[in-house]
Amino acid sequence: MGDWSMPIGSLGEEVVARLCELLDNAGRGWRKLAELAGAEKRFRCSAEELEMCSLKVLEPRGSPTQCLLQLLAERDCTLRYLLGCLERMGHEQACRVLSSAVQDVIRITVQPESQVVVEGTQVSLTCCATGPPGLAYQWFCGRQEVPGATSSELVIDTATPAGQPEWYICRVNCGATFTFSRWAHVQVEKSSSPSSASGYCPSMAGLQILRQPRPCRLAEGDTLALECRAIGNPPPQYQWFRNRRPVEGAQAPQFQVKLVTTAERGSYSCHVFNLFHEVWSQEVDVEIGPRLFTSGGSWQEGDGGSLEHGSPGQLYATDKVALLIGNMHYLHHKQLQAPIMDVHALSALLCQLDFKVVSLLDLCKAEMQMAVDEFLLLLDKGVYAGLLYYAGHGYENFGNSFMVPIDAPSAYTSEHCLCVQRVLQAMQQRRTGLNIFLLDMCRKRNLNDDIIPQVGALEVTANIVFGYATCADAEAYELSQGELSNGIFVTFLKRWLLEDEKITVLLDKVAEDMGTLEITRGRQALELRSNLSERRALTDPIHPPGQDESSARNLQWAKAHVLPESRHLRFDCGVTVQLGFAAEFSNIMIIYTRVVAAPKDISKCEARLTDIPEELDVDLKCTNKESPEELGSPLAPVWSLGCPSCCLYSRICGLQKLRELAFTVCLQYRYQGMDDFVEEQQRVNVGRPLIAKLNLQWAAPPSPAHSPLCPSAPGSWGVGESSCINTPEENLSPEGPSSHTL
């Protein structure tokens, strides 16, 4: 009997071609197959997918059936399910073709395992398969056949000198039908112990460590690499420990951490074990200190971009960085809807312009302050530009603009907010080449606040640009069109952002476009303030200083964009669950779980996330959903492109609040013939993903006397606010900066 539990993807090309020939028709064809297969939700094809299949007839060798089978294969459809669909169709000929093919399917049941062995010993690799009678085996070393290696076991003499690993693979065939095992490599090592020379026998000695990890001293931003190599029979397994605690996911001979911080320093050791034995490596110290950065580069005195010997008059930058903040879910004020779309749209466009972008949603005051402090670390002499975009509630008093965090009280004042002019002062101290503020917020007076901030005089740098979404003492708006869309400012801004124009000329064109919108005429108009004296554009190229890869801003930016690596969790019942991650913003992450392997006697199983840290205040409606769209994120069609199908999705917001992200994966499964579910759990710790690595919540904020974000007296520049209300186009209404209407 053939194995009907195998996936559709195991079918050979000839079988698929024959099925396509039978089903590429309008009668009992591929559309009927798609309809019957869709009886089970995970195999249901959308209208767009069916249209994609039908358009295959326009291609020279295209086949709608082949396209449909590929979609089903991606969703782990089995041959048994496909046969059931064909039987319900009454397509006897297609059933015969499939049944005949399954009888001839060759399945590898035992895969060869990679091994590390001592020079001069023998090692065996095993490959076993099931299928039709008369299976034949042939082993290969690289692309070369191994002479005489025609059995399921290959014995290798490792008398050759130690060196690069040799790669082996086994071909199993019956006539013209064949399949290959997975690759296995054999690494021959010289023993570091005189007592274990050529006479070493793994089956007698159990386990032996051949290569011990070594202590190291690193600087922040370096890559930590430790290695522990052992031999044994059965093959050894590994688990790394830091300060005598297991490191999550570190289960390989090599342990590597990129962009280390002082949090990774400590004592490391490796636990090596197999079914019968265990041994520990020596414990080594890893020291990590701060990196000493130098400004470097060829910039001359001045505030930034210099003329290089490229095209005449071309300005260059050492780097381009941007901080985008969108506040939507206020605790004591009207909720906003457009910032999520605005921040995402600008982030995508600025990345095309080679900006390093940090995008954050829904920050309280302490988090906003720390985010700006980290943003300042990304700035340096010549950075071009330091761009700060803010969408949310705000106000303007006495020529100074204030951004309102989501935890501001109902009657907030400057004490509860961040002063934009203070941020500008701090940016000037970093000697940036171009300072751009795009403020998508209202600029009405805050009647609760009669304090005149003491900001102090700004430097005359001729490199400041303010783009306000609205005029002084006016509101900014967002439209309600039945679904989420960009605010008015960004709707027009994104049309021009990629243009190779001086930034002030670009914003002038945005203002002209906004003036054509009938419903906001006389209510909202872009205001531009600038003292920019040179033709500086967002498209200007980057000429980094000497060692840009090890600069402070690259380290800070990279740390905020590191996702946890995808991993596989193996449960005692034999089920394997894939745990994957995707980023929506720098502080919003998607976690998905997918069952990738399960024993035949388990009829149904799923893996759910539970015990998510309380400080994240996760909405349970946004966890363990069967489709990305159910999470309620308007950006689901974007990030879900990189996720596999048949998953459960969870949306984790507010990563800036985390010390570390630990949760439980709860597996619920049911055996065939049983009604009750069985449950197993595994605890998972993924450390500090994305923006959590910067410790925005837990790092000590600067004292009020020295913080660049604390309020003080009027400055020479004013900034505006962007809070907007979702209202129908014909009933546009403004947003107020506080709990009372201004």
Side-chain angles (χ1 to χ4, degrees), residues 35 60 76 84 125 237 300 302 317 338-339 346 350 360 432 494 523 529 554 582 610 669 708 731:
E35 177 186 342
D76 298 326
L125 300 176
Q237 300 180 55
Q300 305 299 319
L346 290 185
L350 290 172
L360 302 169
T432 48
K494 64 183 184 180
R523 303 181 184 183
R529 292 189 184 182
N554 277 280
T610 60
Y669 58 94
N731 188 27

Side-chain angles (χ1 to χ4, degrees), residues 190-250:
K190 287 186 177 180
S191 175
S192 58
S193 171
S195 63
S196 59
S198 59
Y200 173 77
C201 177
S203 62
M204 294 176 61
L207 283 176
Q208 183 184 22
I209 293 180
L210 300 177
R211 183 173 300 169
Q212 294 278 2
R214 297 181 178 180
C216 55
R217 179 175 296 176
L218 305 171
E220 285 190 307
D222 288 343
T223 296
L224 169 63
L226 300 174
E227 184 175 15
C228 176
R229 290 283 181 180
I231 56 175
N233 190 13
Q237 300 180 55
Y238 301 84
Q239 174 62 62
W240 286 90
F241 284 72
R242 182 174 69 86
N243 297 333
R244 302 187 180 181
R245 291 188 175 185
V247 180
E248 185 75 26

Side-chain angles (χ1 to χ4, degrees), residues 573-646:
C573 62
V575 171
T576 300
V577 174
Q578 180 189 3
L579 189 64
F581 307 87
E584 194 174 82
F585 293 94
S586 300
N587 65 335
I588 299 180
M589 183 172 70
I590 309 299
I591 304 178
Y592 58 87
T593 57
R594 181 171 71 121
V595 176
V596 295
K600 297 179 182 179
D601 56 349
I602 290 181
S603 61
K604 183 178 181 181
C605 59
E606 63 179 14
R608 294 176 169 270
L609 297 191
T610 60
D611 301 331
I612 299 171
E614 293 181 359
E615 60 263 32
L616 292 180
D617 193 23
V618 173
D619 185 356
L620 295 180
K621 298 177 183 177
C622 297
T623 59
N624 301 307
K625 296 301 180 182
E626 293 185 356
S627 68
E629 291 74 20
E630 292 181 72
L631 294 179
S633 169
L635 303 178
V638 179
W639 56 257
S640 62
L641 294 175
C643 299
S645 56
C646 305

Side-chain angles (χ1 to χ4, degrees), residues 82-150:
L82 176 61
L83 179 65
C85 294
L86 294 174
E87 289 174 344
R88 291 197 296 276
M89 288 174 62
H91 207 308
E92 296 180 2
Q93 194 172 0
C95 290
R96 285 197 299 271
V97 169
L98 183 60
S99 298
S100 175
V102 171
Q103 305 307 320
D104 297 333
V105 168
I106 301 171
R107 182 184 183 191
I108 304 288
T109 56
V110 178
Q111 296 281 4
E113 297 286 345
S114 300
Q115 298 188 41
V116 182
V117 297
V118 173
E119 176 186 350
T121 61
Q122 289 186 337
V123 63
S124 65
L125 300 176
T126 303
C127 175
C128 296
T130 59
L135 292 181
Y137 296 83
Q138 176 62 58
W139 288 89
F140 291 78
C141 180
R143 297 187 178 183
Q144 303 297 321
E145 287 188 6
V146 179
T150 56

Side-chain angles (χ1 to χ4, degrees), residues 217-289:
R217 179 175 296 176
L218 305 171
E220 285 190 307
D222 288 343
T223 296
L224 169 63
L226 300 174
E227 184 175 15
C228 176
R229 290 283 181 180
I231 56 175
N233 190 13
Q237 300 180 55
Y238 301 84
Q239 174 62 62
W240 286 90
F241 284 72
R242 182 174 69 86
N243 297 333
R244 302 187 180 181
R245 291 188 175 185
V247 180
E248 185 75 26
Q251 296 166 335
Q254 291 180 319
F255 173 65
Q256 188 178 84
V257 179
K258 296 181 179 179
L259 298 168
V260 296
T261 65
T262 52
E264 277 81 32
R265 62 189 173 195
S267 297
Y268 287 80
S269 59
C270 186
H271 180 214
V272 186
F273 60 96
N274 60 19
L275 190 60
F276 306 110
H277 305 90
E278 66 173 356
V279 65
W280 285 83
S281 74
Q282 64 187 23
E283 195 170 52
V284 297
D285 291 329
V286 174
E287 299 180 14
I288 301 172

